[in-house]
């Protein structure tokens, strides 16, 4: 349930679902997001679900805080809305060409490379949200012994396709972009495709994701089949 | 093949096609984009008898130098911009907020913006552009929009698919006013900052840094001290949000911003001041002034009415 609604500036609602990050709170956020999105309230132009917040921005020419707040307060998102989640397998190559932060992870986690991969691969992760850059999924939760902080100095350029870890989450860089997560491998799969306007994201909030290891040869041949 | 087109002799620094932007996409990580200074974008279209949501060429600092080929067409430049119009043997300095007619072989050379950032070049017609999610706005970070999501480049040819039959010359006396204080609404993490930090935010001057672009505006000045946590759990952003990372220097989210972020939000720029905020060039001084939600809503209504009146007079 929404614990509190306040304003974020003069053109957005800030719906707070609490401070914890867990699947059940996030599913509440996703339910509200899907319900409001389907109802197409005049003036609402964007919804941004995240771990435990939902930001609803609106066109100040068409509506205002009071109207949107009143509308959201009277929504019943408990109805059995179909989250429509999928289970996806993502190929990842963890060859030294790609696993740029493996040494750092070995030191921080005090685990061998083999152990890190064993802990990470073939497990089901939940997609909490997508964004920051187009299509980037935030996946969780990593095992307790796999949690490392961000790099102190973020990289100016993280290669496209990088699979990276921070705290209890994994993500995939859908574009070359700046970033401070610990890079473990790279996927040859296009996780974001802007030519598919109705479904540009391969992974969506609520989906389950499993990383499967591929070799460098399989990686190189992946897009040539 | 189109008979009416532009050739880019010099693209300028950050020249893109922009329109009203795209919405309903934050949840997949795609920002609003669209013209940075919305009022100047609308006026540019009105001056050349376009639909108000038509695409225009947006440029920052130095604009493009283009050569036009085809039938007679109108164009107009808005913002605070210095530009030249070259016809056969003559070259004249153009004035913003006036439309001009050009014909086959004429050139428009946009030298620079004057103590501001963005300017707009509208042509009386429709560019032949690819639309993605109902907008041709170029987002260079995600390569979305027309021109493969990339800035305009030297040697490119841009076709027009239509030319307006209404070729009335138009003019308006609009002057871009400078703004001294940017009005802000308290952010959702305002209490993360020390009493001294809050005082600094509202009382001291900040300087716009060179590291500013369509994604964000970085500010330099006295550091704003965080006493709770320099990170929050990542959550949604909107344009105008002022985040303060661990180094204590504020960053204001602009039209191509990342859709989620994990730095505490000290404030949000009131919508009424956004068009003028984005025009503040590196080195400009900014002071923030607190405003409440209801005043911000009223001021935006007045600003919007003023914009509509300006458009009606053209």
């Amino acid at each position: 349930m929404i614990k509190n609604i306040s304003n974020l500036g003069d053109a957005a609602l800030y719906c707070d679902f609490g401070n914890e990050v867990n699947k059940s709170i996030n599913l509440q956020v996703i339910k509200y997001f899907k319900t409001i999105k389907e109802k197409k309230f005049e003036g609402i132009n964007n919804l941004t679900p995240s771990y435990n917040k939902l930001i609803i921005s609106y066109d100040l020419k068409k509506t205002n805080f009071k109207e949107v707040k009143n509308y959201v307060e009277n929504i019943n998102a408990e109805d059995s809305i179909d989250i429509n989640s999928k289970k996806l397998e993502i190929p990842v190559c963890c060859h030294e060409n790609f696993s740029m932060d493996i040494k750092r992870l070995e030191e921080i986690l005090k685990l061998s490379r083999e152990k890190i991969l064993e802990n990470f691969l073939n497990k089901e992760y939940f997609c909490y949200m997508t964004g920051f850059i187009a299509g980037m999924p935030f996946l969780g939760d990593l095992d307790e012994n796999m949690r490392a902080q961000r790099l102190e100095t973020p990289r100016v350029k993280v290669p496209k396709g990088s699979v990276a870890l921070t705290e209890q989450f994994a993500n995939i860089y859908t574009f070359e972009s700046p970033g401070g997560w610990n890079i473990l491998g790279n996927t040859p799969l296009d996780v974001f495709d802007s030519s598919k306007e109705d479904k540009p994201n391969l992974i969506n909030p609520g989906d389950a994701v499993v990383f499967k290891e591929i070799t460098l040869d399989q990686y190189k041949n992946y897009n040539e089949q | 093949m189109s008979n009416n087109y532009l050739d880019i002799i010099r693209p300028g620094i950050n020249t893109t096609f922009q329109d009203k932007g795209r919405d309903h996409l934050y949840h997949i990580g795609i920002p609003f984009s669209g013209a940075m200074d919305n009022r100047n974008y609308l006026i540019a279209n009105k001056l050349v008898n376009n639909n108000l949501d038509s695409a225009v060429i947006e440029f920052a600092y130095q604009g493009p130098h283009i050569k036009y080929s085809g039938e007679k067409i109108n164009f107009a430049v808005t913002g605070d911009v210095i530009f030249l119009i070259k016809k056969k043997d003559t070259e004249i300095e153009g004035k913003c907020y006036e439309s001009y007619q050009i014909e086959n072989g004429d050139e428009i050379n946009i030298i620079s913006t004057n103590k501001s950032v963005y300017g707009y070049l509208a042509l009386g017609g429709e560019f032949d552009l690819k639309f993605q999610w109902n907008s041709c706005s170029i987002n260079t970070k995600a390569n979305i929009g027309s021109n493969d999501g990339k800035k305009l480049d030297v040697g490119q040819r841009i076709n027009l698919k239509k030319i307006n039959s209404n070729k009335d010359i138009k003019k308006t006396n609009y002057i871009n006013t400078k703004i001294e204080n940017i009005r802000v609404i308290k952010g959702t993490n305002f209490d993360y900052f020390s009493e001294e930090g809050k005082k600094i935010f509202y009382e001291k001057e900040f300087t716009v840094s060179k590291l500013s672009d369509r994604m964000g505006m970085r500010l330099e000045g006295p550091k704003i001290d965080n006493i709770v946590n320099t990170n929050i759990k990542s959550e949604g952003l909107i344009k105008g949000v002022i985040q303060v990372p661990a180094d204590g220097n504020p960053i204001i989210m602009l039209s191509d911003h990342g859709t989620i972020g994990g730095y505490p939000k000290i404030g949000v720029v009131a919508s009424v001041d956004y068009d003028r905020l984005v025009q503040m060039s590196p080195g400009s001084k900014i002071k923030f002034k607190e405003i409440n939600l209801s005043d911000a809503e009223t001021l935006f209504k007045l600003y919007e009415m003023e914009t509509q009146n300006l458009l009606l007079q053209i």
Side-chain angles (χ1 to χ4, degrees), chain A residues 8-10 14 21 33 37 44-48 50 53 55 61 65 130-132 134-135 138 175 194 197 200-201, chain B residues 23-29 131-133 142 185 188 233-236 238 258-260 268 270-271 293 296-297 304:
Chain A
L8 179 64
D10 54 21
Y14 184 86
V21 175
F33 157 65
K37 192 164 180 283
I44 289 181
N45 55 25
N46 267 302
L47 295 153
T48 321
S50 60
K53 307 282 183 280
I55 290 173
K61 294 195 277 289
F65 177 71
T130 50
F132 174 58
F138 288 74
F175 291 90
S194 66
E197 283 199 21
N201 281 11
Chain B
D23 49 20
H24 301 294
L25 296 164
Y26 273 29
H27 62 285
I28 57 172
F131 277 65
Q132 273 186 303
W133 292 286
I185 296 161
T188 42
K233 293 292 171 205
S234 292
E235 60 182 39
I238 55 166
T259 55
I260 53 183
V268 186
S271 298
L293 174 61
E297 288 177 341
E304 179 55 21

Side-chain angles (χ1 to χ4, degrees), chain B residues 118-138:
Chain B
Y118 296 100
Y120 296 89
L121 166 63
L123 269 80
E126 249 180 85
F127 294 112
D128 187 9
L129 300 174
K130 181 174 102 176
F131 277 65
Q132 273 186 303
W133 292 286
N134 298 317
S135 166
C136 66
S137 285
I138 293 175

